[in-house]
Amino acid sequence: MTTHAPSEGQRALRLAIIGAAGRMGQSLVHAARARSDVIIEAGVVSPSSELVGRDLGEIAGIGALGVALTADLPAALAACDVALDFSRPRATAANLAACTAAGKPLLIGTSGLGPDVQHELERAARHIALLVAPNTSLGVTLLIELARQCARALPGQFDIEIIEAHHRHKIDAPSGTALALGHAVAESRGVTLDPAVLLHRVAGGHARRQGDIGFAVVRGGDLVGEHTVLFAGPGEQVTLGHRATDRGVFARGALDAAVWLARHPPGRYGMRDVLLKQ
Ligand SMILES: NC(=O)c1ccc[n+]([C@@H]2O[C@H](COP(=O)([O-])OP(=O)(O)OC[C@H]3O[C@@H](n4cnc5c(N)ncnc54)[C@H](OP(=O)(O)O)[C@@H]3O)[C@@H](O)[C@H]2O)c1
């Protein structure tokens, strides 16, 4: 993992946060303040935002940082080494295009990206270092690896169910992390993931089919994020889980990943690379 101080003779990595006025944007501002190897140089808000021109630090409640929120993404990128996108899926294509044009590495933390954007992700990754991470917690990254191993080790009669719970404001479901867990265990079992299993259950009339990977979704209150992978076999169950109690884990992991990404050549990366490949 990175140390949180720049190596001798190196300057702090300059970051642009896209979605700077959102919950994760604010969390990144707080997390960045605790370390000296990164500095937030630009905060980008949506073009319709009334916050353009306001100070990023004041919005985050930590006092003025001298960084005025902007909707001008190309100008923000010109002043930065790496961009972190925690905004909305509808902004992803434009963010990819801007980062590619500027030749700047991009970490996309925004979740709920549709299949329509996959081609653009692949295209961008030929020109810039691109890390797509619907969950930037290092603990969740490890959970995905453990789930992968369990799915490989346990026989097929162990049914796999993925249960996730998030705060009442979360829009996409199942969460990007639940889907990432689903893809990981499906890959280990050599099957294709069908997230529609969740909908079949809601519609009723379908018993569980052998090999289904099921999803269950809970939304309520201020739950930060919980993921459980249940391997339910005959007469025994194995349960793997992760609970985030503080949004800061995502921000701290994202900053570690941004520092990692800045050292790597163009290509498509995930948090797994940050965890396993130093
Ligand atoms: N990777 C992870 O570990 C992780 C952790 C938590 C959340 N997330 C994901 O990160 C995303 C943001 O989460 P959040 O909780 O911070 O949501 P949020 O509080 O709603 O913040 C999103 C922000 O993005 C802004 N935005 C929308 N379009 C934009 C654009 N074109 N350019 C710049 N900013 C734009 C929104 O501004 P307006 O309101 O003005 O549109 C809003 O301020 C979601 O997809 C969420 O699921 C990922």
Side-chain angles (χ1 to χ4, degrees):
M1 247 15 299
T2 58
T3 62
H4 292 176
S7 318
E8 207 176 325
Q10 277 187 335
R11 59 171 171 73
L13 193 71
R14 298 166 305 167
L15 308 180
I17 300 178
I18 306 170
R23 282 170 296 227
M24 272 305 295
Q26 308 285 289
S27 193
L28 285 164
V29 172
H30 285 265
R33 202 165 67 131
R35 49 200 287 175
S36 58
D37 59 341
V38 296
I39 183 164
I40 297 181
E41 195 71 29
V44 183
V45 292
S46 68
S48 59
S49 175
E50 293 171 353
L51 297 172
V52 170
R54 297 276 304 276
D55 188 275
L56 175 62
E58 282 179 356
I59 297 295
I62 59 168
L65 288 176
V67 176
L69 290 168
T70 179
D72 187 343
L73 179 55
L77 292 173
C80 295
D81 302 307
V82 181
L84 294 91
D85 174 11
F86 284 85
S87 59
R88 293 267 189 273
R90 64 170 184 267
T92 303
N95 294 339
L96 280 167
C99 288
T100 304
K104 297 293 164 85
L106 170 64
L107 181 155
I108 299 181
T110 306
S111 66
L113 304 187
D116 47 312
V117 83
Q118 294 307 320
H119 178 66
E120 280 148 278
L121 293 172
E122 295 307 326
R123 198 169 45 189
R126 291 200 284 271
H127 304 283
I128 58 170
L130 176 68
L131 194 151
V132 182
N135 193 312
T136 44
S137 142
L138 293 174
V140 161
T141 307
L142 180 61
L143 172 69
I144 294 171
E145 289 314 302
L146 294 174
R148 208 186 283 278
Q149 282 182 23
C150 268
R152 200 175 296 126
L154 293 168
Q157 69 260 46
F158 277 74
D159 296 327
I160 305 179
E161 291 282 305
I162 296 166
I163 304 125
E164 60 104 331
H166 283 88
H167 53 86
R168 62 169 64 182
H169 303 291
K170 187 164 180 64
I171 298 168
D172 52 311
S175 70
T177 304
L179 289 172
L181 283 162
H183 283 294
V185 293
E187 199 178 272
S188 286
R189 286 245 168 125
V191 298
T192 306
L193 184 69
D194 177 12
V197 166
L198 173 78
L199 304 175
H200 295 164
R201 297 249 177 97
V202 174
H206 289 267
R208 190 180 214 295
R209 292 169 306 190
Q210 175 75 26
D212 270 354
I213 294 166
F215 291 88
V217 172
V218 177
R219 292 283 175 270
D222 59 358
L223 284 171
V224 175
E226 298 181 14
H227 292 89
T228 303
V229 187
L230 170 67
F231 297 85
E236 59 180 340
Q237 294 91 43
V238 177
T239 308
L240 300 176
H242 177 272
R243 176 178 299 152
T245 51
D246 167 12
R247 188 170 285 270
V249 297
F250 308 120
R252 289 190 289 274
L255 294 181
D256 286 338
V259 170
W260 184 93
L261 193 63
R263 297 198 307 263
H264 285 79
R268 173 97 183 246
Y269 303 102
M271 286 302 289
R272 186 183 194 203
D273 299 308
V274 180
L275 187 72
L276 302 177
K277 300 178 194 163
Q278 291 306 303

mmCIF file of all heavy atoms in Angstrom, residues 18-19 21-25 44-47 49 86-88 90-91 109-111 133-136 170 172 247 250, ligand 1:
data_model
loop_
_atom_site.group_PDB
_atom_site.id
_atom_site.type_symbol
_atom_site.label_atom_id
_atom_site.label_comp_id
_atom_site.label_asym_id
_atom_site.label_seq_id
_atom_site.Cartn_x
_atom_site.Cartn_y
_atom_site.Cartn_z
ATOM 1 N N ILE A 18 -14.562 15.007 -9.567
ATOM 2 C CA ILE A 18 -15.780 15.252 -10.345
ATOM 3 C C ILE A 18 -16.952 14.770 -9.486
ATOM 4 O O ILE A 18 -16.990 13.614 -9.066
ATOM 5 C CB ILE A 18 -15.734 14.477 -11.690
ATOM 6 C CG1 ILE A 18 -14.448 14.816 -12.455
ATOM 7 C CG2 ILE A 18 -16.980 14.794 -12.516
ATOM 8 C CD1 ILE A 18 -14.188 13.927 -13.679
ATOM 9 N N GLY A 19 -17.893 15.694 -9.224
ATOM 10 C CA GLY A 19 -18.957 15.394 -8.251
ATOM 11 C C GLY A 19 -18.536 15.892 -6.870
ATOM 12 O O GLY A 19 -18.914 15.325 -5.849
ATOM 13 N N ALA A 21 -19.314 18.286 -4.965
ATOM 14 C CA ALA A 21 -20.272 18.773 -3.961
ATOM 15 C C ALA A 21 -21.142 17.652 -3.395
ATOM 16 O O ALA A 21 -21.931 17.877 -2.480
ATOM 17 C CB ALA A 21 -21.173 19.846 -4.577
ATOM 18 N N GLY A 22 -20.972 16.446 -3.906
ATOM 19 C CA GLY A 22 -21.786 15.317 -3.430
ATOM 20 C C GLY A 22 -21.228 14.722 -2.143
ATOM 21 O O GLY A 22 -20.193 15.169 -1.628
ATOM 22 N N ARG A 23 -21.920 13.703 -1.641
ATOM 23 C CA ARG A 23 -21.490 13.078 -0.368
ATOM 24 C C ARG A 23 -20.081 12.505 -0.473
ATOM 25 O O ARG A 23 -19.237 12.718 0.404
ATOM 26 C CB ARG A 23 -22.474 11.962 0.030
ATOM 27 C CG ARG A 23 -23.755 12.488 0.640
ATOM 28 C CD ARG A 23 -24.750 11.375 0.778
ATOM 29 N NE ARG A 23 -25.106 10.873 -0.559
ATOM 30 C CZ ARG A 23 -26.340 10.651 -0.973
ATOM 31 N NH1 ARG A 23 -27.333 10.801 -0.147
ATOM 32 N NH2 ARG A 23 -26.593 10.228 -2.185
ATOM 33 N N MET A 24 -19.796 11.773 -1.559
ATOM 34 C CA MET A 24 -18.455 11.195 -1.706
ATOM 35 C C MET A 24 -17.419 12.282 -1.984
ATOM 36 O O MET A 24 -16.286 12.205 -1.498
ATOM 37 C CB MET A 24 -18.447 10.150 -2.831
ATOM 38 C CG MET A 24 -18.808 8.762 -2.384
ATOM 39 S SD MET A 24 -17.782 8.157 -1.016
ATOM 40 C CE MET A 24 -16.176 8.070 -1.808
ATOM 41 N N GLY A 25 -17.812 13.286 -2.765
ATOM 42 C CA GLY A 25 -16.894 14.397 -3.031
ATOM 43 C C GLY A 25 -16.427 15.031 -1.728
ATOM 44 O O GLY A 25 -15.228 15.258 -1.513
ATOM 45 N N VAL A 44 -15.117 19.679 -9.408
ATOM 46 C CA VAL A 44 -16.014 19.873 -10.552
ATOM 47 C C VAL A 44 -17.441 19.536 -10.142
ATOM 48 O O VAL A 44 -17.688 18.480 -9.538
ATOM 49 C CB VAL A 44 -15.574 18.990 -11.749
ATOM 50 C CG1 VAL A 44 -16.455 19.234 -12.958
ATOM 51 C CG2 VAL A 44 -14.109 19.242 -12.087
ATOM 52 N N VAL A 45 -18.363 20.430 -10.446
ATOM 53 C CA VAL A 45 -19.782 20.209 -10.144
ATOM 54 C C VAL A 45 -20.562 20.152 -11.456
ATOM 55 O O VAL A 45 -20.018 20.438 -12.524
ATOM 56 C CB VAL A 45 -20.342 21.325 -9.224
ATOM 57 C CG1 VAL A 45 -19.724 21.236 -7.842
ATOM 58 C CG2 VAL A 45 -20.118 22.700 -9.820
ATOM 59 N N SER A 46 -21.840 19.784 -11.375
ATOM 60 C CA SER A 46 -22.618 19.654 -12.608
ATOM 61 C C SER A 46 -22.843 21.040 -13.219
ATOM 62 O O SER A 46 -22.868 22.042 -12.496
ATOM 63 C CB SER A 46 -23.937 18.949 -12.335
ATOM 64 O OG SER A 46 -24.751 19.762 -11.547
ATOM 65 N N PRO A 47 -22.988 21.077 -14.548
ATOM 66 C CA PRO A 47 -23.122 22.375 -15.228
ATOM 67 C C PRO A 47 -24.279 23.209 -14.681
ATOM 68 O O PRO A 47 -24.226 24.438 -14.709
ATOM 69 C CB PRO A 47 -23.368 21.988 -16.691
ATOM 70 C CG PRO A 47 -22.781 20.612 -16.812
ATOM 71 C CD PRO A 47 -22.948 19.948 -15.490
ATOM 72 N N SER A 49 -25.201 23.386 -11.561
ATOM 73 C CA SER A 49 -25.065 23.598 -10.118
ATOM 74 C C SER A 49 -24.988 25.080 -9.735
ATOM 75 O O SER A 49 -24.306 25.880 -10.389
ATOM 76 C CB SER A 49 -23.817 22.893 -9.605
ATOM 77 O OG SER A 49 -23.619 23.180 -8.245
ATOM 78 N N PHE A 86 -16.951 10.753 -8.921
ATOM 79 C CA PHE A 86 -18.006 10.227 -8.051
ATOM 80 C C PHE A 86 -19.239 11.092 -8.309
ATOM 81 O O PHE A 86 -19.592 11.946 -7.496
ATOM 82 C CB PHE A 86 -17.595 10.293 -6.564
ATOM 83 C CG PHE A 86 -16.605 9.237 -6.170
ATOM 84 C CD1 PHE A 86 -15.246 9.437 -6.353
ATOM 85 C CD2 PHE A 86 -17.024 8.028 -5.629
ATOM 86 C CE1 PHE A 86 -14.327 8.454 -5.997
ATOM 87 C CE2 PHE A 86 -16.116 7.035 -5.271
ATOM 88 C CZ PHE A 86 -14.760 7.253 -5.456
ATOM 89 N N SER A 87 -19.845 10.887 -9.488
ATOM 90 C CA SER A 87 -20.979 11.747 -9.842
ATOM 91 C C SER A 87 -22.188 10.900 -10.199
ATOM 92 O O SER A 87 -22.789 10.277 -9.308
ATOM 93 C CB SER A 87 -20.576 12.707 -10.969
ATOM 94 O OG SER A 87 -20.153 12.000 -12.126
ATOM 95 N N ARG A 88 -22.547 10.879 -11.466
ATOM 96 C CA ARG A 88 -23.718 10.137 -11.925
ATOM 97 C C ARG A 88 -23.349 9.380 -13.198
ATOM 98 O O ARG A 88 -22.570 9.883 -14.009
ATOM 99 C CB ARG A 88 -24.837 11.112 -12.284
ATOM 100 C CG ARG A 88 -25.414 11.855 -11.118
ATOM 101 C CD ARG A 88 -26.632 11.137 -10.564
ATOM 102 N NE ARG A 88 -27.277 11.963 -9.587
ATOM 103 C CZ ARG A 88 -26.971 12.001 -8.296
ATOM 104 N NH1 ARG A 88 -26.022 11.207 -7.842
ATOM 105 N NH2 ARG A 88 -27.602 12.797 -7.477
ATOM 106 N N ARG A 90 -24.837 9.178 -15.908
ATOM 107 C CA ARG A 90 -25.110 9.940 -17.132
ATOM 108 C C ARG A 90 -23.935 10.851 -17.505
ATOM 109 O O ARG A 90 -23.841 11.318 -18.645
ATOM 110 C CB ARG A 90 -26.396 10.764 -16.982
ATOM 111 C CG ARG A 90 -26.331 11.838 -15.929
ATOM 112 C CD ARG A 90 -27.521 12.801 -15.964
ATOM 113 N NE ARG A 90 -27.341 13.847 -14.983
ATOM 114 C CZ ARG A 90 -27.807 13.821 -13.742
ATOM 115 N NH1 ARG A 90 -28.552 12.817 -13.341
ATOM 116 N NH2 ARG A 90 -27.572 14.827 -12.913
ATOM 117 N N ALA A 91 -23.037 11.114 -16.546
ATOM 118 C CA ALA A 91 -21.890 11.986 -16.818
ATOM 119 C C ALA A 91 -20.658 11.207 -17.267
ATOM 120 O O ALA A 91 -19.667 11.805 -17.694
ATOM 121 C CB ALA A 91 -21.554 12.790 -15.557
ATOM 122 N N GLY A 109 -15.499 6.063 -9.663
ATOM 123 C CA GLY A 109 -16.116 5.450 -8.493
ATOM 124 C C GLY A 109 -17.630 5.430 -8.599
ATOM 125 O O GLY A 109 -18.301 4.769 -7.802
ATOM 126 N N THR A 110 -18.155 6.152 -9.570
ATOM 127 C CA THR A 110 -19.603 6.189 -9.781
ATOM 128 C C THR A 110 -20.108 4.778 -10.047
ATOM 129 O O THR A 110 -19.509 4.045 -10.832
ATOM 130 C CB THR A 110 -19.930 7.087 -11.000
ATOM 131 O OG1 THR A 110 -19.328 8.361 -10.790
ATOM 132 C CG2 THR A 110 -21.424 7.236 -11.202
ATOM 133 N N SER A 111 -21.189 4.386 -9.400
ATOM 134 C CA SER A 111 -21.725 3.044 -9.628
ATOM 135 C C SER A 111 -22.959 3.113 -10.518
ATOM 136 O O SER A 111 -23.470 4.207 -10.802
ATOM 137 C CB SER A 111 -22.036 2.357 -8.298
ATOM 138 O OG SER A 111 -23.076 3.026 -7.642
ATOM 139 N N ALA A 133 -14.201 1.357 -10.274
ATOM 140 C CA ALA A 133 -14.358 0.723 -8.959
ATOM 141 C C ALA A 133 -15.663 1.167 -8.309
ATOM 142 O O ALA A 133 -15.721 2.217 -7.679
ATOM 143 C CB ALA A 133 -13.180 1.099 -8.053
ATOM 144 N N PRO A 134 -16.733 0.362 -8.484
ATOM 145 C CA PRO A 134 -17.990 0.742 -7.825
ATOM 146 C C PRO A 134 -17.877 0.694 -6.310
ATOM 147 O O PRO A 134 -18.756 1.207 -5.611
ATOM 148 C CB PRO A 134 -18.995 -0.291 -8.343
ATOM 149 C CG PRO A 134 -18.188 -1.391 -8.928
ATOM 150 C CD PRO A 134 -16.851 -0.836 -9.304
ATOM 151 N N ASN A 135 -16.805 0.093 -5.806
ATOM 152 C CA ASN A 135 -16.555 0.130 -4.361
ATOM 153 C C ASN A 135 -15.045 0.249 -4.158
ATOM 154 O O ASN A 135 -14.301 -0.625 -4.581
ATOM 155 C CB ASN A 135 -17.093 -1.128 -3.673
ATOM 156 C CG ASN A 135 -17.121 -0.961 -2.167
ATOM 157 O OD1 ASN A 135 -16.159 -0.527 -1.569
ATOM 158 N ND2 ASN A 135 -18.247 -1.298 -1.565
ATOM 159 N N THR A 136 -14.626 1.330 -3.534
ATOM 160 C CA THR A 136 -13.193 1.587 -3.386
ATOM 161 C C THR A 136 -12.669 1.204 -1.998
ATOM 162 O O THR A 136 -11.546 1.542 -1.645
ATOM 163 C CB THR A 136 -12.879 3.070 -3.683
ATOM 164 O OG1 THR A 136 -13.860 3.883 -3.036
ATOM 165 C CG2 THR A 136 -12.883 3.355 -5.153
ATOM 166 N N LYS A 170 -29.914 5.627 -1.926
ATOM 167 C CA LYS A 170 -29.220 4.945 -3.027
ATOM 168 C C LYS A 170 -30.194 4.613 -4.154
ATOM 169 O O LYS A 170 -31.277 4.069 -3.908
ATOM 170 C CB LYS A 170 -28.523 3.673 -2.525
ATOM 171 C CG LYS A 170 -27.653 3.029 -3.588
ATOM 172 C CD LYS A 170 -26.691 2.038 -3.006
ATOM 173 C CE LYS A 170 -25.830 1.392 -4.069
ATOM 174 N NZ LYS A 170 -24.951 2.348 -4.759
ATOM 175 N N ASP A 172 -29.327 2.975 -7.495
ATOM 176 C CA ASP A 172 -29.174 1.730 -8.248
ATOM 177 C C ASP A 172 -29.306 0.515 -7.332
ATOM 178 O O ASP A 172 -28.947 0.556 -6.159
ATOM 179 C CB ASP A 172 -27.834 1.705 -9.005
ATOM 180 C CG ASP A 172 -26.636 2.006 -8.118
ATOM 181 O OD1 ASP A 172 -26.691 2.991 -7.380
ATOM 182 O OD2 ASP A 172 -25.664 1.230 -8.150
ATOM 183 N N ARG A 247 -18.353 6.340 5.700
ATOM 184 C CA ARG A 247 -18.138 6.610 4.276
ATOM 185 C C ARG A 247 -16.656 6.880 3.965
ATOM 186 O O ARG A 247 -16.202 6.735 2.834
ATOM 187 C CB ARG A 247 -18.998 7.827 3.924
ATOM 188 C CG ARG A 247 -19.089 8.196 2.478
ATOM 189 C CD ARG A 247 -20.160 9.240 2.298
ATOM 190 N NE ARG A 247 -21.472 8.644 2.404
ATOM 191 C CZ ARG A 247 -22.147 8.158 1.366
ATOM 192 N NH1 ARG A 247 -21.649 8.236 0.173
ATOM 193 N NH2 ARG A 247 -23.322 7.611 1.534
ATOM 194 N N PHE A 250 -14.431 4.464 1.797
ATOM 195 C CA PHE A 250 -14.453 4.549 0.328
ATOM 196 C C PHE A 250 -13.505 5.660 -0.149
ATOM 197 O O PHE A 250 -12.806 5.512 -1.142
ATOM 198 C CB PHE A 250 -15.867 4.815 -0.182
ATOM 199 C CG PHE A 250 -16.878 3.844 0.356
ATOM 200 C CD1 PHE A 250 -17.963 4.281 1.104
ATOM 201 C CD2 PHE A 250 -16.737 2.482 0.126
ATOM 202 C CE1 PHE A 250 -18.890 3.383 1.606
ATOM 203 C CE2 PHE A 250 -17.657 1.572 0.628
ATOM 204 C CZ PHE A 250 -18.745 2.031 1.372
HETATM 205 N N1 LIG B 1 -16.816 3.638 -5.340
HETATM 206 C C1 LIG B 1 -17.294 3.678 -4.101
HETATM 207 O O1 LIG B 1 -16.730 3.107 -3.155
HETATM 208 C C2 LIG B 1 -18.552 4.460 -3.851
HETATM 209 C C3 LIG B 1 -18.944 4.770 -2.538
HETATM 210 C C4 LIG B 1 -20.083 5.531 -2.357
HETATM 211 C C5 LIG B 1 -20.804 5.967 -3.468
HETATM 212 N N2 LIG B 1 -20.415 5.609 -4.718
HETATM 213 C C6 LIG B 1 -21.103 6.065 -5.923
HETATM 214 O O2 LIG B 1 -20.585 7.369 -6.231
HETATM 215 C C7 LIG B 1 -21.615 8.132 -6.856
HETATM 216 C C8 LIG B 1 -21.823 9.408 -6.052
HETATM 217 O O3 LIG B 1 -22.293 9.058 -4.775
HETATM 218 P P1 LIG B 1 -22.713 10.176 -3.727
HETATM 219 O O4 LIG B 1 -23.280 9.434 -2.575
HETATM 220 O O5 LIG B 1 -21.596 11.123 -3.508
HETATM 221 O O6 LIG B 1 -23.892 10.899 -4.534
HETATM 222 P P2 LIG B 1 -24.371 12.409 -4.441
HETATM 223 O O7 LIG B 1 -24.269 12.906 -3.038
HETATM 224 O O8 LIG B 1 -25.706 12.467 -5.121
HETATM 225 O O9 LIG B 1 -23.295 13.201 -5.314
HETATM 226 C C9 LIG B 1 -23.201 13.141 -6.696
HETATM 227 C C10 LIG B 1 -22.810 14.520 -7.164
HETATM 228 O O10 LIG B 1 -22.458 14.471 -8.539
HETATM 229 C C11 LIG B 1 -22.896 15.674 -9.124
HETATM 230 N N3 LIG B 1 -22.951 15.601 -10.570
HETATM 231 C C12 LIG B 1 -23.937 15.144 -11.381
HETATM 232 N N4 LIG B 1 -23.569 15.284 -12.661
HETATM 233 C C13 LIG B 1 -22.347 15.833 -12.663
HETATM 234 C C14 LIG B 1 -21.438 16.229 -13.688
HETATM 235 N N5 LIG B 1 -21.733 16.092 -14.986
HETATM 236 N N6 LIG B 1 -20.259 16.783 -13.340
HETATM 237 C C15 LIG B 1 -19.943 16.952 -12.039
HETATM 238 N N7 LIG B 1 -20.766 16.608 -11.013
HETATM 239 C C16 LIG B 1 -21.942 16.046 -11.334
HETATM 240 C C17 LIG B 1 -24.235 15.911 -8.467
HETATM 241 O O11 LIG B 1 -24.608 17.256 -8.609
HETATM 242 P P3 LIG B 1 -26.152 17.646 -8.949
HETATM 243 O O12 LIG B 1 -26.938 17.216 -7.751
HETATM 244 O O13 LIG B 1 -26.027 19.111 -9.170
HETATM 245 O O14 LIG B 1 -26.504 16.873 -10.207
HETATM 246 C C18 LIG B 1 -23.924 15.545 -7.016
HETATM 247 O O15 LIG B 1 -23.421 16.667 -6.303
HETATM 248 C C19 LIG B 1 -22.843 7.206 -6.903
HETATM 249 O O16 LIG B 1 -22.864 6.549 -8.142
HETATM 250 C C20 LIG B 1 -22.591 6.218 -5.786
HETATM 251 O O17 LIG B 1 -23.279 5.004 -5.963
HETATM 252 C C21 LIG B 1 -19.300 4.873 -4.922
#
